[in-house]
Amino acid sequence: MNPLPPLFLSHGSPMTALEPGAAGGFLRRLGPALDTAFGRPQAILAISAHSLTRVPVLVAGARHETIHDFGGFPDALYRLRYDAPGAPALAGRVQSLLAGAGIAVHRDEAGGLDHGIWTPLLHAYPQVDLPVLPLAWPPGWSAAQLFALGHALAPLAAEGVLVLASGSITHNLRRIVGAMQAGAVDAPATPESTAFRDWFASRGAAADWAALLDWRAQAPYAALMHPTDEHLLPFFVAAGAAGDAPEARRVHASIEYGDLGMDAYAFGPQAARLEQALAG
């Protein structure tokens, strides 16, 4: 099979599972496009903004239960299940790759998928048949440290493993509360959100990692779009997994509630191939 491009997906509200919108439509095309262009993944290494630990931890259980790690949503959302198989064998390979880069990682034989993982997979791979290995990570690590962590995982792309990072290209929930209460999911994009998202897209297309790794200082409205870092930092793990100085290609762009970016990125030399498959 062809090497798989690492991905960064904006998972949005948990309601994306029930009300997919434009981003959900993209996710439904994503799984078939990956299978067509690269062959079906053998497993998924998932890095979520909601799986945070003091040190890197592999969630290596043989089976995962669906974790409904949110509150205040309709009952139908809590009835959804995505109880995927785990990937214990892949955990050993990941441990070896990270050890080779001098990165210690713990292994936990527990299972469970937070909504940052199962919400996009529910649409992309609804068959629930791909083994998933979550990699929890320290939110105090810098973008450069997480890029290095991803870089150590770069051999996985040629081994049939899809590195899938999940977060949000913009994430300031206080900015969208009013729109959510009004049900204005299709509110027009704010200028601040557009400026931040377009900066990432342009710097990514140019593979300008000096700027991207310094996004806090250089991206417009960075503090406004990300009061805290955890929803953006998975971007850098996926980017690193594509190798040295990869292109970051935006393969989907949409907005919810005016400010909540739902953009998706593919990284490295295979990103263009995925974009073509999605267009076809």
Side-chain angles (χ1 to χ4, degrees):
M1 64 184 298
N2 295 305
L4 287 153
L7 303 176
F8 171 78
L9 306 178
S10 296
H11 61 253
S13 159
M15 286 299 292
T16 303
L18 291 176
E19 300 172 354
F26 158 74
L27 291 169
R28 289 174 177 174
R29 297 192 307 275
L30 176 62
L34 286 166
D35 293 355
T36 298
F38 306 100
R40 194 166 180 82
Q42 300 300 304
I44 296 171
L45 179 65
I47 302 96
S48 168
H50 296 278
S51 292
L52 306 178
T53 45
R54 287 178 291 181
V55 295
V57 176
L58 292 163
V59 183
R63 193 80 189 169
H64 295 296
E65 292 189 358
T66 308
I67 301 173
H68 298 89
D69 52 333
F70 44 76
F73 289 91
D75 289 345
L77 191 56
Y78 300 94
R79 292 195 292 270
L80 289 178
R81 307 294 304 179
Y82 196 91
D83 298 338
L90 177 59
R93 174 61 172 148
V94 172
Q95 282 181 302
S96 177
L97 289 171
L98 293 179
I103 300 172
V105 60
H106 295 263
R107 176 172 174 151
D108 192 325
E109 302 304 326
L113 303 180
D114 68 63
H115 79 274
I117 300 172
W118 66 259
T119 297
L121 290 181
L122 184 72
H123 296 301
Y125 286 107
Q127 305 89 342
V128 202
D129 59 349
L130 290 181
V132 181
L133 177 66
L135 172 57
W137 53 280
W141 282 21
S142 68
Q145 285 176 294
L146 291 166
F147 187 95
L149 184 149
H151 193 271
L153 303 172
L156 295 176
E159 299 172 10
V161 178
L162 176 64
V163 176
L164 189 154
S166 172
S168 188
I169 196 66
T170 60
H171 193 262
N172 184 336
L173 296 184
R174 290 185 179 181
R175 296 259 300 181
I176 66 171
V177 167
M180 291 186 74
Q181 291 175 340
V185 66
D186 58 351
T190 64
E192 298 89 344
S193 173
T194 298
F196 182 89
R197 292 165 57 230
D198 287 353
W199 183 88
F200 254 80
S202 65
R203 293 303 85 214
D208 185 356
W209 289 98
L212 287 164
L213 292 170
D214 191 34
W215 69 276
R216 267 284 176 213
Q218 297 195 35
Y221 305 108
L224 191 63
M225 291 297 99
H226 286 280
T228 57
D229 294 355
E230 77 287 338
H231 271 77
L232 186 62
L233 289 176
F235 176 98
F236 297 99
V237 181
D244 296 324
E247 175 191 8
R249 185 177 290 250
R250 184 162 62 174
V251 294
H252 172 74
S254 63
I255 195 83
E256 294 182 354
Y257 305 109
D259 248 22
L260 186 61
M262 299 297 291
D263 300 3
Y265 281 81
F267 300 92
Q270 299 292 351
R273 183 175 186 149
L274 175 59
E275 188 172 49
Q276 291 169 358
L278 286 163

